[in-house]
Amino acid sequence: MRHRKATRKQPEFPSYFPALWPAMLAVRFVDESEARKEFAMPADNRPLEDRLRAIEDRLEILNLIASHPPSADTGADYYARAVYAEDGVIDLGGGKAANGNEAIAAIMTAPGHRAAIAGGLAHFAGLPHIALDGDRAVVTSYLQILTPHPSAEPVEVPNHGSSKGFRIHRVGANRWELVRTPAGWKIKRRTLRPLDGSEPAREILRHALAPFAAKT
Amino acid sequence: MRHRKATRKQPEFPSYFPALWPAMLAVRFVDESEARKEFAMPADNRPLEDRLRAIEDRLEILNLIASHPPSADTGADYYARAVYAEDGVIDLGGGKAANGNEAIAAIMTAPGHRAAIAGGLAHFAGLPHIALDGDRAVVTSYLQILTPHPSAEPVEVPNHGSSKGFRIHRVGANRWELVRTPAGWKIKRRTLRPLDGSEPAREILRHALAPFAAKT
Amino acid sequence: MRHRKATRKQPEFPSYFPALWPAMLAVRFVDESEARKEFAMPADNRPLEDRLRAIEDRLEILNLIASHPPSADTGADYYARAVYAEDGVIDLGGGKAANGNEAIAAIMTAPGHRAAIAGGLAHFAGLPHIALDGDRAVVTSYLQILTPHPSAEPVEVPNHGSSKGFRIHRVGANRWELVRTPAGWKIKRRTLRPLDGSEPAREILRHALAPFAAKT
């Protein structure tokens, strides 16, 4: 080991065994004499593949959550069938619930939902919080359900035309319980509760705060 | 190859050729006898550089979409000039369109747009869906256009003061067609359609669902 | 160096010094004869660890911003105490401000804030723009503050029940000035200004456009 002052026992580095290199690189980075000099901070000691996978998981989950409003606003039963686990559950509050991806998909094509879409329906998703834990994840997100406001007076905004505007029909907190499968991340359970001052929505929201609670 | 039960033919590993290591590491990870033991799932076999680049692309695109509302609400012609391709197109529906980044930039400083900004204008972006395909990407996103509501009655919210509130003037679905250039991701075409129950917005939204349609 | 036409002087590659490999891999990728063939674009020459860390920073910051609404809507003083720097500042405009994480935490449990929560309160976060600069970051984000609209007429939406709807009490622009600490990213200063047509909010928003201004 030339050009180097070893500060701890170095693991052996079998160069003929490349499958372990990322893990070994990570171990090496923990050597503070090198890592701190280069990065001025403690290095991450998880294997490279784990770090990459966690990152890709988060980005895949962002896309999964981002695809929910388009599915709801187009009545896409094929989306629900594909992203809910076969035994997935949707619990929208007030006793409105469905069990199994087929039953959830059926909601999308129900006449009432089609009528809502025809009248103008927009599910508007806020920035989600993602708590990733290996092959499971819990996403906490806000949702607005918007519709045109036909009874309002039209208002003119310069350069943006005249519009009667839209109203916010519902505001809710979602908990998405996700699980990794060979076919990608799937929804095991989605729970939605109205943000109208009642406790159940707050219980959902507190999940995003759990890591901070632990640090206190 | 010691300490290892080879389950398939291993590719040769020319250690004098480091430019190929990421690709070779990936190939090695596919060896299930090792990878599954460590990660309990099939490993990703794309080269490391490709994975990193795709991740960085997504994060750069998130920032690009996040910078649209600030540009619209400050009338930033320099933003439009920089992020639209020279032959970029903006198609806002109802015949409101512009061709070329200079024409798009000119919208930002038009007197009507300045007047809207002076009256209070907020473009509010929902969570975007990103479909990345090499040097191209399509982003599907929701947008609210908000303005103060001067004709409404003021309402007092405890600890949050009194306000006449804001109204939602428009809700729309965006399709952003992006292309990678040496100067970063640029917008080739942005299409906006109102979410008022009409079909064109739903056509835009369905793009985010394409991968799920394929899985069915 | 077989199977290769060197187009520039290659750095030496000391295989006994794995802590430097990611950096060296990056250097190698700059060799255009190889990199362009594989990726058809110039390769990134930052060390791997730097790239991974920047990516993880962005995702951690997304989660930090996403956890703000849940904290405000549940009155979570422990969140404020944990994520604000000890000398952190919150400046909500109109003279409403607090210095130090303990004072900021105290806002969360004030009777007025508790009353707002009991009446139904939803902080709704738009897509944030993240400007990362080593151990510092500035986030620019939009925020809606929503409450139920008890004086409105109930409206029935097919399949979505009847609701008096929600009103947008405030729309604001946030600047979050963050700093990396051994305990994760912390908030040094949060500044909120109303998007009511006044200049201070636009000054905040322009921060997200700075990189585009530079490119012009």
Side-chain angles (χ1 to χ4, degrees):
Chain A
M1 197 73 54
R2 283 177 286 172
H3 306 309
R4 185 172 200 181
K5 203 170 58 186
T7 55
R8 63 178 71 175
K9 197 179 170 309
Q10 293 299 322
E12 285 189 47
F13 198 93
S15 65
Y16 49 79
F17 201 167
L20 289 181
W21 288 0
M24 289 186 293
L25 283 175
V27 169
R28 295 282 168 142
F29 279 150
V30 180
D31 176 2
E32 296 188 0
S33 70
E34 299 302 328
R36 285 204 182 261
K37 225 180 295 167
E38 277 182 70
F39 310 117
M41 61 190 81
D44 197 309
N45 62 2
R46 288 171 298 152
L48 173 63
E49 176 66 22
D50 286 8
R51 293 173 70 182
L52 273 175
R53 184 178 295 273
I55 290 164
E56 290 169 343
D57 282 342
R58 284 173 185 276
L59 292 174
E60 184 184 336
I61 289 170
L62 279 181
N63 251 10
L64 179 66
I65 301 300
S67 61
H68 163 245
S71 77
D73 298 335
T74 61
D77 56 344
Y78 59 89
Y79 164 90
R81 202 172 288 120
V83 304
Y84 276 88
E86 223 175 288
D87 62 350
V89 173
I90 191 169
D91 170 0
L92 301 169
K96 203 174 161 184
N99 288 293
N101 65 342
E102 286 298 336
I104 296 167
I107 298 174
M108 295 288 98
T109 53
H113 193 75
R114 292 286 185 205
I117 290 172
L121 186 65
H123 287 70
F124 198 95
L127 180 70
H129 180 276
I130 301 174
L132 183 66
D133 181 19
D135 295 338
R136 303 202 160 255
V138 175
V139 177
T140 307
S141 72
Y142 285 71
L143 180 70
Q144 296 180 19
I145 300 181
L146 307 170
T147 62
H149 200 335
S151 67
E153 288 299 309
V155 173
E156 176 86 22
V157 173
N159 212 35
H160 290 79
S162 175
S163 163
K164 292 179 174 176
F166 288 73
R167 53 186 290 281
I168 305 176
H169 189 67
R170 303 260 181 230
V171 180
N174 283 290
R175 176 168 53 223
W176 309 81
E177 297 167 46
L178 308 179
V179 62
R180 187 202 307 277
T181 77
W185 286 89
K186 300 235 177 192
I187 306 166
K188 285 291 279 186
R189 177 180 286 267
R190 175 187 166 208
T191 311
L192 174 67
R193 292 293 181 268
L195 273 156
D196 56 4
S198 55
E199 181 62 17
R202 290 196 290 271
E203 202 181 304
I204 287 175
L205 295 179
R206 279 188 200 104
H207 197 283
L209 308 172
F212 301 104
K215 278 186 198 166
T216 311
Chain B
M1 195 80 48
R2 283 176 287 172
H3 307 309
R4 185 172 200 179
K5 203 169 61 185
T7 56
R8 64 179 72 177
K9 199 181 169 305
Q10 293 299 321
E12 284 189 45
F13 198 91
S15 64
Y16 48 80
F17 201 168
L20 289 181
W21 288 0
M24 290 187 294
L25 283 175
V27 168
R28 295 282 169 143
F29 278 148
V30 180
D31 177 0
E32 295 187 0
S33 69
E34 299 302 327
R36 285 203 182 262
K37 226 181 294 167
E38 278 182 71
F39 309 117
M41 60 190 82
D44 197 310
N45 62 2
R46 288 170 299 152
L48 173 62
E49 177 65 22
D50 286 9
R51 293 173 70 182
L52 273 174
R53 184 177 296 272
I55 290 164
E56 291 170 342
D57 282 342
R58 283 173 185 276
L59 293 174
E60 184 184 335
I61 290 170
L62 279 180
N63 252 10
L64 179 67
I65 301 301
S67 60
H68 162 246
S71 77
D73 298 335
T74 62
D77 56 344
Y78 58 89
Y79 164 90
R81 202 173 287 120
V83 304
Y84 276 88
E86 223 175 287
D87 62 349
V89 173
I90 189 169
D91 171 0
L92 301 170
K96 204 174 162 186
N99 287 293
N101 65 340
E102 286 298 336
I104 296 166
I107 297 174
M108 294 288 98
T109 53
H113 193 75
R114 293 287 186 203
I117 290 172
L121 186 65
H123 289 69
F124 197 97
L127 180 70
H129 179 275
I130 301 175
L132 183 66
D133 181 18
D135 295 337
R136 304 202 157 255
V138 174
V139 177
T140 307
S141 71
Y142 285 72
L143 180 70
Q144 296 181 18
I145 300 181
L146 307 170
T147 62
H149 200 334
S151 67
E153 288 300 309
V155 173
E156 176 87 22
V157 173
N159 212 35
H160 290 78
S162 176
S163 162
K164 291 179 176 178
F166 288 72
R167 53 186 287 283
I168 305 176
H169 188 67
R170 302 260 182 232
V171 180
N174 282 290
R175 175 169 51 223
W176 309 82
E177 296 167 47
L178 307 179
V179 62
R180 187 202 306 277
T181 78
W185 286 90
K186 300 234 176 195
I187 306 166
K188 285 291 277 186
R189 175 180 287 268
R190 176 188 165 208
T191 311
L192 174 67
R193 292 293 181 269
L195 273 155
D196 56 6
S198 55
E199 180 63 17
R202 290 196 289 271
E203 202 180 303
I204 287 175
L205 295 177
R206 280 188 199 105
H207 197 284
L209 308 172
F212 301 105
K215 277 186 198 166
T216 311
Chain C
M1 196 76 50
R2 280 178 289 173
H3 306 310
R4 186 173 200 179
K5 201 169 58 184
T7 55
R8 64 179 70 177
K9 197 181 172 304
Q10 292 299 321
E12 284 191 46
F13 198 92
S15 65
Y16 48 80
F17 201 169
L20 289 182
W21 288 359
M24 290 186 294
L25 282 176
V27 169
R28 294 283 170 143
F29 277 149
V30 180
D31 176 1
E32 296 187 359
S33 71
E34 299 302 327
R36 286 206 181 262
K37 225 180 294 166
E38 277 182 69
F39 308 117
M41 61 189 84
D44 197 311
N45 61 3
R46 289 172 297 153
L48 172 63
E49 177 64 23
D50 286 9
R51 293 173 71 183
L52 273 174
R53 184 177 296 272
I55 291 163
E56 290 169 344
D57 282 342
R58 284 172 185 276
L59 293 173
E60 184 185 335
I61 289 170
L62 279 181
N63 251 10
L64 179 67
I65 301 300
S67 61
H68 162 246
S71 77
D73 297 335
T74 61
D77 56 345
Y78 58 90
Y79 164 90
R81 201 173 288 120
V83 304
Y84 277 88
E86 222 175 288
D87 62 350
V89 173
I90 190 169
D91 171 0
L92 300 170
K96 203 173 162 186
N99 287 292
N101 65 341
E102 285 299 336
I104 296 166
I107 297 174
M108 296 287 98
T109 53
H113 193 74
R114 293 286 186 204
I117 290 171
L121 186 65
H123 288 69
F124 197 96
L127 180 70
H129 179 275
I130 301 175
L132 184 66
D133 181 20
D135 295 338
R136 303 201 160 256
V138 175
V139 178
T140 307
S141 71
Y142 285 72
L143 180 70
Q144 295 180 20
I145 300 181
L146 307 169
T147 62
H149 199 334
S151 67
E153 287 300 308
V155 173
E156 177 85 23
V157 173
N159 212 36
H160 290 78
S162 176
S163 162
K164 292 179 174 177
F166 288 73
R167 53 185 289 281
I168 305 176
H169 189 66
R170 303 260 182 230
V171 180
N174 283 289
R175 175 168 53 224
W176 309 81
E177 296 167 46
L178 307 179
V179 62
R180 188 202 307 276
T181 78
W185 286 89
K186 299 234 177 193
I187 306 166
K188 286 291 277 184
R189 176 181 287 268
R190 176 188 165 208
T191 311
L192 174 67
R193 292 293 180 269
L195 273 155
D196 56 4
S198 55
E199 180 62 17
R202 289 196 291 271
E203 203 180 303
I204 287 175
L205 295 178
R206 281 188 199 103
H207 197 285
L209 308 172
F212 300 106
K215 276 187 200 164
T216 311

